[in-house]
Amino acid sequence: MTFLPSLTALLLRICGPSLEALSCQSISKSRKYETTPPKQDAESLHPVIIELQDIIESDPSLFMGFHQMFEDIPDDPRYRNDPTGKPQVRNYREMLRALQALLTCAPEFGDQGSGELVPAPFNAILNWPMNTSAGLHVFTHQQINDQIKKILNVWAQFLSTPESRYVLTDKHPRGWFSPSALVSMCAGNDGSFETTYICDPSKEHYGFASWDDFFTRRYRPGVRPIASPQDDNIITSACESVPYKLSHNVQHTDSFWLKGETYSLSHMLSSDPLTPQFIGGTVYQAYLSATTYHRWHSPVSGRIVKIVDVPGTYCAYPHQQDSTPVPMTRRRRITLKHSCPTLLPG
């Protein structure tokens, strides 16, 4: 029987290289998603993907931008595959189909053959096109950004379902309970995964109800004791992060890097009226890996008196020649103000 390989070759000629790229489920062979010829079947697309298609095709500037950003990807072997090693999506219709497929894909551990983690499959699809001038134009467009948020919210719904647990397995090297994944998730800990985190290895998927339940797993009591809990002058780490940079005596219009982004204090706090209170203070930046504990805790004793959710862009990157994209300046972030009367200034 040779017609199946022949059919695959035919589809690759018709659709370009994205047939393999859209097979996002490397762990479960029965869950592969494949592209179709360029003409999209609207009935097969999720409503949020159809909405994105309508936005693109109803605005001449966006329509041109989405064409241009794929055309601007250099014709160079380095850009023929996405960061996961799969063929790069080459037009916005293939992009829509790829986004559709990813709505029911959970993040896998690592990149096949490299061991590198790819926690956000969306980034792999858009990595090269959003690193173009046209990509910067379309992904900073408010309507596109709002729609990307809606798509991510739909994806988040899937990640909260039992169906998302197919990656929580030890039967595949990219499963989250494979030997290499368990080692990575326990790096820096004295114990094993099951002694570090609340779980039940005797149950399927270690007892986690969904991918999101696994990702936001809790420490077992006593795993991370608080340093000097009676000393309010000690600021503890709010999460399991690696120190990145410390900036002292920051000013209202100073610039410093935050996740690769240039920020002033005013921009970081979204021009909040409380901004002047932090002039002359210290900014601590840290990196949080996708393999580590993902819950946040108060770094000081006290009372939270204000919470501000600062919106940002999801896929906007400035154009970089011959380099990995560097994030733009408008990242979504949460700012909190603590009232801690006994904490010394400076």
Side-chain angles (χ1 to χ4, degrees), residues 34-45:
E34 297 181 346
T35 189
T36 59
K39 181 66 175 178
Q40 296 293 324
D41 177 7
E43 293 183 358
S44 67
L45 296 177

Side-chain angles (χ1 to χ4, degrees), residues 163-278:
E163 288 74 18
S164 66
R165 297 180 299 176
Y166 70 93
V167 294
L168 305 183
T169 178
D170 60 359
K171 308 300 183 185
H172 192 282
R174 297 181 72 176
W176 283 94
F177 299 136
S178 63
S180 57
L182 290 175
V183 168
S184 179
M185 290 187 290
C186 292
N189 296 324
D190 294 331
S192 62
F193 183 88
E194 55 265 33
T195 60
T196 301
Y197 298 102
I198 297 176
C199 63
D200 187 349
S202 67
K203 294 183 178 179
E204 188 177 17
H205 310 298
Y206 279 47
F208 291 108
S210 65
W211 153 261
D212 187 67
D213 185 35
F214 157 75
F215 191 63
T216 58
R217 57 193 176 274
R218 297 176 182 271
Y219 276 136
R220 291 192 182 277
V223 168
R224 282 291 183 273
I226 299 174
S228 304
Q230 305 304 319
D231 187 351
D232 287 339
N233 291 302
I234 300 296
I235 301 176
T236 63
S237 178
C239 60
E240 193 78 348
S241 55
V242 178
Y244 172 67
K245 189 175 182 181
L246 199 64
S247 301
H248 298 285
N249 194 31
V250 294
Q251 299 301 307
H252 188 275
T253 56
D254 268 356
S255 293
F256 50 89
W257 290 98
L258 183 63
K259 281 193 173 181
E261 310 164 12
T262 304
Y263 272 91
S264 71
L265 184 60
S266 176
H267 290 157
M268 187 179 72
L269 299 178
S270 192
S271 300
D272 190 278
L274 296 175
T275 300
Q277 296 185 23
F278 298 94

Side-chain angles (χ1 to χ4, degrees), residues 302-315:
R303 182 170 56 91
I304 296 175
V305 296
K306 186 173 185 178
I307 301 175
V308 180
D309 186 347
V310 183
T313 53
Y314 296 95
C315 303

Side-chain angles (χ1 to χ4, degrees), residues 32 34 63 85 87 89 99 101 139 141 143 171 185 198 213 220 227 251 293:
K32 278 194 173 184
E34 297 181 346
F63 186 69
V89 170
L99 294 178
F139 288 119
H141 190 282
Q143 198 173 7
K171 308 300 183 185
M185 290 187 290
I198 297 176
D213 185 35
R220 291 192 182 277
Q251 299 301 307
Y293 178 74

Side-chain angles (χ1 to χ4, degrees), residues 25 59 65 75 77 131 142 150 168 176:
Q25 307 288 359
D59 186 308
D75 185 16
N131 189 31
Q142 189 62 53
K150 291 177 66 175
L168 305 183
W176 283 94

